[in-house]
Amino acid sequence: MLVAISDLHLDDGTCGKSLSADAFQIFRERLEQLAYSASQRADGSYRPLESVDLLLLGDIFELIHTTLWLKSKAGEALSIRPWINSGEPALAEKTYEITQAILEHNAASIAMMRSMADGEAISLPPASAGGRPALETRERVPVRVNTYYMLGNHDWLYHLPGEAYDQTRRHIIEKMGLLNSPSPIPYEPMEWGALEALLEKYHIFARHGDCYDRWSYNAELGRDAATLGDALSVELLNRFPEEVEDRLGEALPGHFYRGLHEVINVRPSVAAPLWIGGQLRQYHVADKVEQVVKEIWNELVTDFLKLDFIHALGNRWNPFDSVD
């Protein structure tokens, strides 16, 4: 049995809200129910599964929407962003820092994933001599969850090569019980033989859908490159709520600032100003304060458009190009 799931977006809690541990408990229960159903074989007999295959199909960890890109530790440069040279040690260190923050913020959820991989969280009733579920016994058959991880556009930094990134991947593998090796987590099935064999076994093809989105995937540079969407997220959507709270402080209620971080979930991203306007009306923000909020947004947009990275993406005028 193969189960595929994507877009969990487990984050560090600094932008929006992460999935609760309760959601993972529900997922465990659903997976157990599916395993029980799959143990009812086509010939009418019941034979409990020994294992199920779970494919994590991208955007499992949220590496882009975090305010850690905007903060520096002692001795750290202020300009660390996903689009700097991937060979820079600082980028690998920032990736590890964000990953560790995500693991800590979602400790209970990650522990559930690990327990499923170890065969400790899902179990089935054994088969009776007549090939039926032995529901009257307390005995249980443990079911191991073989977990494979593929990438999307919010966790693409795990695709970067090098020992510094291998260290981060080892950490994830150990915490979650993944079958992956510490080498770059695959984006395409052919990048990992075991994954290719898995998909062939079930006669399916799988990949994250970012390859069809020009804002989220650069077809010329491939999956080891940052995109327009990354810059928009870090420099505008992540930064805006922080700047508003820093400048306005007690002029607005705390839950307004917390709610403002949900701007990362607005689709399409270019509709963010409309959503922000809706928030201002919902909270009956005074005109004078609203004007300051709009000025902050305009300032950040101006800074965004000055980025060398953005200029490099839009170096040729094309009215249908995403950057233009």
Side-chain angles (χ1 to χ4, degrees):
M1 183 180 84
L2 174 67
V3 173
I5 188 169
S6 72
D7 295 274
L8 297 181
H9 291 277
L10 298 177
D11 61 30
D12 64 359
T14 63
C15 291
K17 294 179 180 179
S18 209
L19 280 174
S20 71
D22 290 342
F24 281 78
Q25 179 60 37
I26 293 171
F27 177 61
R28 184 208 68 78
E29 293 170 1
R30 296 283 174 85
L31 205 54
E32 190 170 71
Q33 292 167 4
L34 288 170
Y36 179 73
S37 297
S39 298
Q40 311 282 346
R41 306 308 174 110
D43 62 6
S45 66
Y46 169 81
R47 299 194 303 277
L49 298 178
E50 295 180 357
S51 66
V52 300
D53 296 314
L54 174 62
L55 176 60
L56 304 177
L57 195 50
D59 286 1
I60 303 304
F61 280 31
E62 178 55 78
L63 298 179
I64 304 301
H65 285 302
T66 168
T67 60
L68 289 178
W69 290 112
L70 308 174
K71 296 176 171 60
S72 62
K73 297 184 294 185
E76 183 180 83
L78 288 173
S79 57
I80 299 171
R81 295 292 189 269
W83 49 89
I84 68 173
N85 188 318
S86 62
E88 289 285 342
L91 183 58
E93 292 168 7
K94 181 63 70 174
T95 302
Y96 183 86
E97 179 190 357
I98 294 170
T99 300
Q100 182 59 32
I102 293 171
L103 290 171
E104 291 175 0
H105 186 64
N106 300 275
S109 302
I110 297 296
M112 176 60 73
M113 296 291 292
R114 177 75 209 206
S115 66
M116 290 194 296
D118 290 341
E120 299 172 352
I122 295 177
S123 64
L124 300 172
S128 67
R132 294 288 182 266
L135 300 177
E136 70 284 353
T137 179
R138 298 180 65 181
E139 181 185 350
R140 301 288 288 184
V141 177
V143 180
R144 187 180 66 256
V145 178
N146 303 318
T147 310
Y148 303 78
Y149 193 161
M150 293 181 72
L151 291 170
N153 54 300
H154 283 255
D155 47 10
W156 68 268
L157 289 156
Y158 296 145
H159 196 258
L160 295 175
E163 175 57 34
Y165 294 98
D166 290 348
Q167 179 185 358
T168 299
R169 288 185 283 261
R170 286 191 192 96
H171 197 36
I172 299 170
I173 292 165
E174 193 280 325
K175 289 290 186 180
M176 298 183 73
L178 303 176
L179 293 183
N180 297 64
S181 71
S183 57
I185 292 177
Y187 177 65
E188 302 273 8
M190 66 281 298
E191 295 175 15
W192 181 20
L195 177 62
E196 197 169 18
L198 174 77
L199 299 183
E200 184 176 345
K201 170 185 172 183
Y202 289 101
H203 305 290
I204 67 168
F205 177 81
R207 184 172 63 182
H208 200 71
D210 58 314
C211 58
Y212 302 107
D213 181 359
R214 290 181 299 169
W215 286 55
S216 302
Y217 180 74
N218 189 320
E220 294 181 7
L221 300 178
R223 193 55 286 175
D224 284 352
T227 63
L228 175 62
D230 294 335
L232 190 70
S233 296
V234 173
E235 298 294 352
L236 275 178
L237 305 184
N238 297 355
R239 189 178 166 196
F240 176 67
E242 298 281 293
E243 291 285 342
V244 172
E245 185 169 9
D246 285 347
R247 298 196 203 181
L248 289 173
E250 295 182 1
L252 290 166
H255 50 274
F256 173 84
Y257 298 122
R258 289 191 293 274
L260 207 55
H261 277 290
E262 293 300 322
V263 69
I264 65 173
N265 295 314
V266 174
R267 298 292 183 274
S269 297
V270 290
L274 297 176
W275 181 86
I276 293 166
Q279 292 296 106
L280 293 170
R281 289 190 294 275
Q282 179 181 337
Y283 282 89
H284 305 290
V285 175
D287 291 345
K288 183 177 180 180
V289 176
E290 179 178 341
Q291 185 59 40
V292 175
V293 172
K294 291 180 177 179
E295 288 173 359
I296 293 171
W297 176 263
N298 289 339
E299 288 175 20
L300 297 188
V301 170
T302 299
D303 292 344
F304 172 77
L305 294 174
K306 291 178 181 178
L307 289 173
D308 291 340
F309 177 69
I310 298 301
H311 281 274
L313 289 177
N315 55 7
R316 290 183 297 180
W317 166 250
N318 177 354
F320 300 104
D321 180 75
S322 297
V323 175
D324 295 327

